Amino acid sequence: MATLQDIGVSAFINILGAFAFLLAFALLRIQPINDRVYFPKWYISGGRSSPRMAGNFVGKLVNLNIKTYLTFLNWMPQALKMSEAEIINHAGLDSAVFLRIYTLGLKIFVPITILALLILIPVNVSSGTLFFLRKELVVSDIDKLSISNVRPRSIRFFIHIALQYAFTTWTCFMLYKEYDHVASMRLRFLASQTRHAEQFTVVVRNVPHVSGRSVLDTVEQFFKKNHPNTYLCQQAVYNASKFVKLVRKRDRLRNWLDYNQLKFERHPDKRPTRKKGFLGIWGERVDSIEYYKQQIQLLEKNMALERQKILTDSKSILPVSFVSFNSRWGAAVCAQTQQSKNPTLWLTNWAPDPRDIYWRNLAIPFVSLTVRKLIISLSVFALVFFYMIPIAFVQSLANLEGLEKVAPFLRPVIELKFIKSFLQGFLPGLALKIFLYVLPAVLMIMSKIEGYIAHSTLERRAAAKYYYFMLVNVFLGSIIAGTAFEQLDAFLHQPPTQIPRTIGVSIPMKATFFITYIMVDGWAGIAGEILRLKPLIIFHLKNMFLVKTERDREKAMNPGSVDFPETLPSLQLYFLLGIVYAVVTPILLPFILVFFAFAYLVYRHQIINVYNQQYESAAAFWPHVHSRIIASLLISQLLLLGLLSTKKAANSTPLLVILPILTLSFHKYCKSRFEPAFRKYPLEEAMEKDILDRTTESDINLKAYLADAYLHPIFHSFEEEESVEVKVERNKSHTASDPTTEINPPSPPHQVNHPFSPPHYMYHPSSPPQHVYEPSSPSHYAYHYENDTYHPPFPPHYAYHYENEP
C-alpha cells in the first residue's frame, strides 16, 4: 500500500514529467518547422501562413528571435483570452460545451474540497481506530485521514452524513444550472443556424420490397401518399464498391502526376521518366507526365462505364433513402412519428449532417441491427471480465505488503527503498494507463459493427461502453481486487463473518491507488496531450518521405479533434472519484482540482489552435454527462451506506436511505425538463423558421438546393469533374484557347488501404439536378479527400476535419 513517501515520489515524478512536457512544447511550438503541427486549425481556416515562406535557410527551421524564447509561456494567458461566444464561432458548440464540463468540475469540487478538508480531515484523524487494527490490517498514514479511522458506533458519523447531504445538494444545484444553461445554448445555436440540408431531410431505412416496383418507385409512392403536401424529393443509395476502388486508383495516379509536374517545374531542363513495368522497376522507359496522363484517361473511361452500369442496374439500389421535404415542419413530423403499422419497416429518423454520416452502415437491415447489437453487448460483457486480469495485476503492484505476507521470499527486492516507492507510487497508475491505451479503438470498432450511421452517434456509443468499462474495471475492479490483495492475509486467516468488516474498512484505503492514477493520467497525461509528440513525429516523417505537393503537406498536418469516446468517460471517472471519496477519503480532492484546472487550460489551447472537429452535434452528448454524474452521486451514497453498516452505525445509517430516492427524483425531473431539447425538434420552432424563410427568401428553389446535398462524395467528385469538362468544352467552342487558363484537379488522397473494409455505398438523386453544379456554390457541399475517406467542405462559421475511418 502506498505511503505518504510513495505518493511524494509519484508526485515528484509526474510533476517533473509534466513540467518537461510543457517546457518541450513551449520551445517546439515557436519553431517554424513545427508550425503546422501546433497551429493546424488556423491553417485550415486560412488565418495563418507558414513562417517558412520568408527568411534564410536556418530561419526556416529554427526560430532566431531571442525575444520569443523569453516569452515562451505566453500560450497560457493567450488560451484564456477567447470568450465562449468566440469559441463557438471558431470551433463550434460541441467544443465550447466540452470545456464547460471542466468548469463544472471546478464549480462542484472547489467548495466541496474546502469543506471536506476543514471539517472531515480533523474528524477522521482524531478518531484513531486504525491504530488498534494495524496488526490485523495493512494501513498507511493516508488511511488515517479517511473514514476508516472513525470508531464503530461513533456519533461522528452524523457529520459525514450531514456533509453527504450538503455535497449532494450542491452538486445537484450546479447540475441543474448547467443543464439549463447548456439546453438554452443548444436552442439558441439551432435557432441561429442558416439553412442546412439536414433540417429538411430524413433518412429512411428498411424500405420493404414490393414486387414489380423498384426501390425508387416504392419510396416515391409511399411518401406522396402519406406526406402529400410536404414531400419534395428523394436520393437513393447505390452499392458502389468497385467504383470506389477505381476512384482511389485514379487519385493515386493523380498524386504521382502532380508530383512529376512539380518536379518538372523545378527542373525544366529535364523531364521526369519512369519504367512502365511493375512498380517502375523494369520495362520500357517513358515520359512520366505523359504516362500518368494516359493512365488517368484510361481509368476515367472505365469509371464512366462503371458509373453508368450502377445507375442502370436496379439491383444496385439499396433499401435506404434520403427523403427531403419542402419545410422543416414536414421533416420534423416525418422524423418523429411512426410511418407504418409494422414498426420494423419504414424506419425514419433525422438525417445526419452530410459531414457526420458513416456511409458504410446505411444499408444494414433491421434484423441484422438487432443481432449485431446483441453480439456486441455480449462481447463487451466478455471484454470487461477479460480485463479484470490486468486490473488484478496492477493491484498486485500497488499492494506489496499483502504479497510480502504470503510470499516472504520477495521481501529483499521489494524492501529496497526507491524500488518500493516507485512500484507503489508510480508504476500502478502507469501500468493501468498502458492497459487502457488500446481499449477506446476496440470499443469504437464494436460500435461501428452495431450499425450506427452517424459519427457523432458512434462516438457517444463508444463513450458509453468505455464509461461502463471504467466503472466496472477501473473503479469497482480496482477496489475489489485491491482490497483482496491488500488484506490477503486477513482474508485467508479470519472467519467468513469478518470479511464484510475487512472490506468496509479497506475500501476507503484505495484512495492511494487512485491518487497515483490521477497524477499519471490527469497530470503527466494531459501535459503529454499538449506536446503532441506522436503527431509531431508522424508529420516530419511524412514530410520527409511521403509529401510530394503542398496538398500532401496540408494532409500531413492531422490536427485531430476532441477524442470524445475516450475523453468523456475519463472525465466522468474523475467526477466519480471526487464525489465518492469526498466524504470517504477527502485527501484525494486536491488532486482532482489540479486535474480539472490544468486540463481546462490545455484543452482550451488545443481547441483554439489545434483541433478541427469532424462534425457538429450541438452538444448532443450533454444528457449523458449529466446522467453519469447523477450515477456517481448514487454510487457514493450507496457506498457510504455500506460503509456505515460495517461500522455498526445503526442510529445514523437510516438517515441516508432517503438520499438516493431524492437524487433519483431530481434526475427524473431534469430528464423531463431539459432532455427533450436534445432529443426532439419542436414543431413550433420548425414552423417559425419556415415562415421566416418564406418571408425573407420567397424565391428560393429548395428542390435544387437539396438535389445533391446527400450525394455520395465519390459521385459528387465525379460530377464536379464532368461539370468542369463541360464548361471547358463550351469555352473552347466559343473562344480561342487561352494559354493562361489552368484547370486545377481535385485534391488526391494519400491512399491507405484497409484489407477488411466493408462494402462502400454511393448516393445519387432519383432525378437529375435541375441546375449546373457549382463547386463554389454555398448551397452545396463540395467534397475533398482525407486519406481513404471523402469529406465535405467547412460550413460558413466552422472549420471541420475528418479523422480516418478504421
Side-chain angles (χ1 to χ4, degrees):
M1 180 183 295
T3 63
L4 281 175
Q5 181 181 350
D6 301 333
I7 297 297
V9 171
S10 178
F12 173 75
I13 295 174
N14 285 288
I15 291 173
L16 187 64
F19 181 77
F21 286 151
L22 292 176
L23 184 62
F25 161 73
L27 295 176
L28 288 172
R29 68 185 286 272
I30 61 177
Q31 308 305 320
I33 195 173
N34 299 325
D35 205 59
R36 288 182 180 271
V37 178
Y38 293 110
F39 299 96
K41 176 77 170 179
W42 296 102
Y43 279 92
I44 292 172
S45 62
R48 190 180 182 94
S49 59
S50 175
R52 305 183 66 192
M53 302 299 291
N56 56 33
F57 176 76
V58 177
K60 291 180 178 180
L61 302 177
V62 181
N63 188 347
L64 301 176
N65 186 354
I66 303 299
K67 292 182 179 179
T68 57
Y69 289 91
L70 301 177
T71 59
F72 65 91
L73 292 178
N74 64 352
W75 68 269
M76 294 184 180
Q78 287 176 0
L80 298 173
K81 284 183 179 179
M82 189 176 284
S83 67
E84 187 176 75
E86 290 172 330
I87 288 178
I88 293 175
N89 288 330
H90 177 68
L93 185 63
D94 281 344
S95 298
V97 172
F98 172 72
L99 290 175
R100 291 192 68 89
I101 302 176
Y102 292 96
T103 59
L104 175 64
L106 291 172
K107 291 174 184 176
I108 289 175
F109 288 116
V110 167
I112 288 178
T113 301
I114 294 172
L115 277 177
L117 294 181
L118 292 179
I119 299 175
L120 288 180
I121 293 292
V123 169
N124 294 338
V125 169
S126 60
S127 294
T129 297
L130 294 181
F131 177 80
F132 301 101
L133 296 176
R134 66 186 185 278
K135 293 182 179 180
E136 300 176 32
L137 302 174
V138 179
V139 299
S140 72
D141 292 335
I142 292 179
D143 301 325
K144 296 174 185 177
L145 307 177
S146 73
I147 196 174
S148 297
N149 201 35
V150 180
R151 295 174 182 273
R153 298 189 179 93
S154 174
I155 196 173
R156 299 181 185 216
F157 288 127
F158 284 103
I159 300 176
H160 295 82
I161 293 173
L163 284 180
Q164 181 70 42
Y165 269 91
F167 294 166
T168 300
T169 302
W170 173 251
T171 303
C172 290
F173 173 70
M174 294 309 304
L175 283 175
Y176 179 86
K177 287 188 64 177
E178 201 67 22
Y179 212 154
D180 187 23
H181 186 74
V182 172
S184 299
M185 289 174 67
R186 174 181 167 87
L187 292 175
R188 287 196 302 270
F189 179 80
L190 294 175
S192 65
Q193 279 188 318
T194 56
R195 184 186 301 107
H196 290 299
E198 65 271 16
Q199 298 170 354
F200 300 88
T201 307
V202 300
V203 59
V204 184
R205 305 176 73 181
N206 223 29
V207 176
H209 173 71
V210 178
S211 179
R213 289 186 194 171
S214 66
V215 173
L216 291 173
D217 292 337
T218 302
V219 172
E220 188 89 10
Q221 292 189 18
F222 180 86
F223 282 95
K224 280 186 174 179
K225 175 183 176 182
N226 295 286
H227 300 267
N229 299 321
T230 56
Y231 171 73
L232 187 63
C233 60
Q234 64 164 309
Q235 294 176 4
V237 182
Y238 293 80
N239 190 335
S241 298
K242 186 176 179 181
F243 189 82
V244 169
K245 297 176 182 178
L246 294 175
V247 170
R248 291 175 174 174
K249 184 177 180 181
R250 178 200 62 186
D251 291 320
R252 287 198 299 270
L253 293 173
R254 278 187 170 164
N255 210 16
W256 280 108
L257 176 61
D258 287 348
Y259 169 68
N260 283 281
Q261 287 176 334
L262 184 62
K263 187 176 179 181
F264 179 60
E265 288 175 7
R266 292 174 179 172
H267 306 283
D269 55 325
K270 183 181 178 181
R271 287 185 69 87
T273 60
R274 62 154 286 159
K275 292 182 179 180
K276 295 176 66 174
F278 177 71
L279 295 177
I281 298 174
W282 60 72
E284 179 186 355
R285 185 167 290 279
V286 295
D287 183 283
S288 295
I289 295 176
E290 295 302 322
Y291 171 80
Y292 286 114
K293 284 183 177 179
Q294 292 173 6
Q295 292 294 314
I296 290 171
Q297 289 176 359
L298 180 63
L299 196 60
E300 286 181 342
K301 289 180 182 179
N302 293 335
M303 287 172 60
L305 293 174
E306 180 64 23
R307 176 175 178 269
Q308 191 62 31
K309 178 182 176 182
I310 291 170
L311 289 176
T312 55
D313 186 4
S314 60
K315 294 181 180 179
S316 298
I317 304 175
L318 299 172
V320 60
S321 182
F322 290 98
V323 177
S324 297
F325 296 82
N326 58 19
S327 65
R328 295 176 183 84
W329 185 90
V333 170
C334 180
Q336 297 169 179
T337 56
Q338 182 175 314
Q339 303 301 310
S340 171
K341 290 180 289 186
N342 185 344
T344 65
L345 300 177
W346 297 104
L347 305 176
T348 59
N349 209 335
W350 282 106
D353 185 322
R355 295 166 290 120
D356 191 18
I357 295 175
Y358 185 67
W359 307 99
R360 300 178 182 180
N361 285 351
L362 274 166
I364 299 175
F366 182 81
V367 175
S368 178
L369 285 175
T370 306
V371 174
R372 285 166 177 250
K373 290 177 181 178
L374 176 61
I375 293 173
I376 293 301
S377 298
L378 295 175
S379 301
V380 172
F381 183 79
L383 185 65
V384 167
F385 282 91
F386 168 78
Y387 254 82
M388 290 297 288
I389 299 172
I391 294 296
F393 169 73
V394 168
Q395 291 304 317
S396 70
L397 295 177
N399 301 288
L400 301 180
E401 288 91 344
L403 289 179
E404 282 182 12
K405 292 184 177 181
V406 178
F409 60 88
L410 295 175
R411 185 171 297 172
V413 177
I414 293 174
E415 286 301 321
L416 294 175
K417 192 171 184 180
F418 178 77
I419 292 179
K420 185 174 183 180
S421 296
F422 177 79
L423 288 177
Q424 294 196 142
F426 178 73
L427 190 60
L430 179 63
L432 181 58
K433 181 72 175 173
I434 292 172
F435 280 125
L436 296 178
Y437 182 74
V438 299
L439 189 63
V442 173
L443 296 178
M444 174 57 77
I445 293 172
M446 288 183 169
S447 297
K448 289 180 177 180
I449 295 174
E450 283 184 293
Y452 298 104
I453 66 171
H455 286 279
S456 55
T457 308
L458 286 171
E459 293 197 349
R460 288 197 294 274
R461 296 308 305 163
K465 294 179 180 66
Y466 194 36
Y467 168 76
Y468 297 133
F469 180 90
M470 298 282 272
L471 174 64
V472 174
N473 283 56
V474 177
F475 182 70
L476 297 178
S478 294
I479 289 176
I480 295 170
T483 301
F485 276 103
E486 219 165 76
Q487 314 303 340
L488 194 56
D489 187 65
F491 269 101
L492 295 176
H493 296 95
Q494 68 183 6
T497 56
Q498 294 298 311
I499 291 179
R501 171 179 168 272
T502 302
I503 294 177
V505 173
S506 301
I507 284 177
M509 301 178 189
K510 289 312 300 171
T512 54
F513 167 75
F514 289 120
I515 287 173
T516 64
Y517 177 75
I518 291 168
M519 287 189 287
V520 172
D521 181 68
W523 294 9
I526 293 297
E529 172 68 27
I530 200 171
L531 179 59
R532 305 199 78 222
L533 186 60
K534 180 181 175 182
L536 178 69
I537 294 172
I538 292 176
F539 172 78
H540 287 302
L541 289 176
K542 286 183 176 180
N543 209 25
M544 189 180 302
F545 298 109
L546 299 176
V547 169
K548 306 181 186 72
T549 65
E550 190 64 26
R551 288 194 296 267
D552 290 338
R553 185 168 289 107
E554 292 176 2
K555 296 185 186 74
M557 288 190 302
N558 185 26
S561 59
V562 177
D563 190 8
F564 288 120
E566 181 177 2
T567 308
L568 286 180
S570 298
L571 258 173
Q572 289 148 5
L573 175 66
Y574 285 109
F575 275 100
L576 175 64
L577 293 176
I579 291 172
V580 166
Y581 280 99
V583 174
V584 174
T585 312
I587 194 63
L588 180 139
L589 292 175
F591 297 89
I592 294 278
L593 284 182
V594 172
F595 161 75
F596 277 114
F598 184 38
Y600 173 72
L601 182 65
V602 167
Y603 278 108
R604 217 174 197 277
H605 173 274
Q606 299 297 84
I607 284 170
I608 292 171
N609 296 300
V610 180
Y611 295 149
N612 195 34
Q613 284 304 108
Q614 172 184 349
Y615 59 84
E616 177 59 61
S617 71
F621 56 82
W622 188 261
H624 302 284
V625 175
H626 175 89
S627 298
R628 285 159 197 166
I629 296 176
I630 292 292
S632 300
L633 285 173
L634 292 171
I635 291 171
S636 71
Q637 294 156 9
L638 296 176
L639 177 59
L640 183 59
L641 196 63
L643 282 173
L644 293 181
S645 65
T646 64
K647 291 285 190 174
K648 302 177 182 178
N651 294 328
S652 55
T653 302
L655 297 176
L656 270 177
V657 174
I658 194 173
L659 193 54
I661 299 173
L662 295 175
T663 305
L664 285 172
S665 301
F666 168 78
H667 175 57
K668 185 177 179 181
Y669 171 76
C670 288
K671 189 178 178 70
S672 60
R673 171 66 179 83
F674 299 117
E675 193 167 316
F678 295 84
R679 298 286 179 259
K680 298 177 181 178
Y681 187 50
L683 294 180
E684 179 184 19
E685 186 171 335
M687 181 61 74
E688 287 176 359
K689 295 208 67 153
D690 289 335
I691 293 172
L692 181 63
D693 273 3
R694 287 194 290 268
T695 304
T696 57
E697 299 179 85
S698 56
D699 58 342
I700 184 69
N701 186 349
L702 196 58
K703 190 169 186 178
Y705 175 81
L706 298 170
D708 52 3
Y710 283 90
L711 188 62
H712 192 280
I714 300 169
F715 244 163
H716 227 310
S717 174
F718 197 91
E719 295 207 346
E720 286 177 33
E721 293 170 25
E722 289 186 338
S723 176
V724 172
E725 291 174 2
V726 169
K727 292 177 183 178
V728 171
E729 291 298 328
R730 287 178 180 173
N731 289 337
K732 286 182 178 180
S733 64
H734 293 288
T735 62
S737 170
D738 184 357
T740 63
T741 303
E742 180 181 356
I743 303 299
N744 293 321
S747 301
H750 168 63
Q751 177 62 36
V752 178
N753 287 319
H754 299 304
F756 302 107
S757 297
H760 291 258
Y761 305 105
M762 171 165 45
Y763 303 83
H764 194 271
S766 56
S767 58
Q770 305 299 315
H771 66 294
V772 178
Y773 177 77
E774 298 282 352
S776 60
S777 169
S779 302
H780 301 279
Y781 291 93
Y783 289 79
H784 69 280
Y785 283 99
E786 184 65 37
N787 289 347
D788 63 336
T789 310
Y790 300 84
H791 306 291
F794 315 133
H797 301 295
Y798 309 105
Y800 294 91
H801 176 78
Y802 268 94
E803 291 178 335
N804 304 339
E805 292 180 2

